[in-house]
Amino acid sequence: MCGRYTLYSHEDDLATLFEVETYPLTPRYNIAPTSTVPVIRQRSDGSRVMEEMRWGLLPHWVKDPKDFRSNLFNARAESAADKPSFRDPMRSQRCLVPASGFYEWRTEGGAKQPYYVYRTDGQPLAFAGLWAVNRNGKAPIVSCTILTTDANVEMRELHDRMPVVLEKGEWGRWLDVEEKDPTRLEDLLDPADAGVLTMHPVDRSVGSPRFDSPACVQRLA
């Protein structure tokens, strides 16, 4: 799963990497569900745009957003195309969620120990995501979710699930608004290859989203 992540890469570097216009960003070290997060999607003309969305998908068919209690911040990649909440976005509203890294917890000595997970090469991550627009409230709500898959060899030490990490050469296929058949994209939803990710333990304070500073990602002594 992916319930906390970071994004502190420089905004100009992200713009160059993802081929979008520079978007003003504040470094964030402990992003939690229901936060507003930057997301990359493809316009109908094929260009890409980075814009803010609420993390936690609110399906378009929800009649009263105030009464929708489910926090759909993750979606299982294996079944998303068949689930009512994710079926339509899987066909036409796929996105990338940029991240510098993410957190996962493991029980050690009777307590939950957080680990920070990030790319071995130091580059930003691109999570496979879905987005939706709900227009049934006072104002439209644009929201997103992060797809998860089976853990790869490194992540199995921490959890049996992990976010879907897309490589740069896969971004175009995932974002392609002309591709309406999710079965043609299933090969993109596998676990990350061995060696792509590395990790280290961090302070348990990251359990609180109020703790948001560079100290969040520092390796424990």
Side-chain angles (χ1 to χ4, degrees), residues 57-107:
L57 195 91
L58 180 66
H60 69 87
W61 44 259
V62 173
K63 298 300 183 185
D64 188 347
K66 297 191 302 297
D67 290 338
F68 189 69
R69 304 302 180 188
S70 298
N71 191 0
L72 304 177
F73 59 89
N74 284 166
R76 293 178 68 91
E78 303 91 331
S79 59
D82 301 318
K83 299 294 184 181
S85 294
F86 309 120
R87 186 167 50 220
D88 291 338
M90 276 292 288
R91 292 174 181 149
S92 60
Q93 291 170 257
R94 299 179 297 272
C95 62
L96 301 175
V97 181
S100 300
F102 63 98
Y103 300 101
E104 191 53 78
W105 280 256
R106 178 172 69 183
T107 301

Side-chain angles (χ1 to χ4, degrees), residues 1-6 99-105 115-119 125 127 146 152 155 158 161-163 165 197-200 202 217:
M1 63 178 294
C2 179
R4 295 285 179 83
Y5 71 96
T6 68
S100 300
F102 63 98
Y103 300 101
E104 191 53 78
W105 280 256
Y115 282 77
Y116 185 53
V117 186
Y118 50 99
R119 287 190 66 103
L125 294 156
F127 299 144
I146 294 171
N152 70 353
M155 284 300 299
L158 304 180
R161 304 288 296 177
M162 66 174 292
V165 176
L197 301 176
T198 189
M199 64 190 71
H200 62 251
V202 294
V217 301

Side-chain angles (χ1 to χ4, degrees), residues 151-162:
N152 70 353
V153 62
E154 291 92 2
M155 284 300 299
R156 280 198 294 269
E157 298 181 21
L158 304 180
H159 200 277
D160 61 353
R161 304 288 296 177
M162 66 174 292

Side-chain angles (χ1 to χ4, degrees), residues 200-217:
H200 62 251
V202 294
D203 193 274
R204 291 188 174 95
S205 298
V206 301
S208 170
R210 291 174 299 197
F211 181 46
D212 189 344
S213 80
C216 288
V217 301

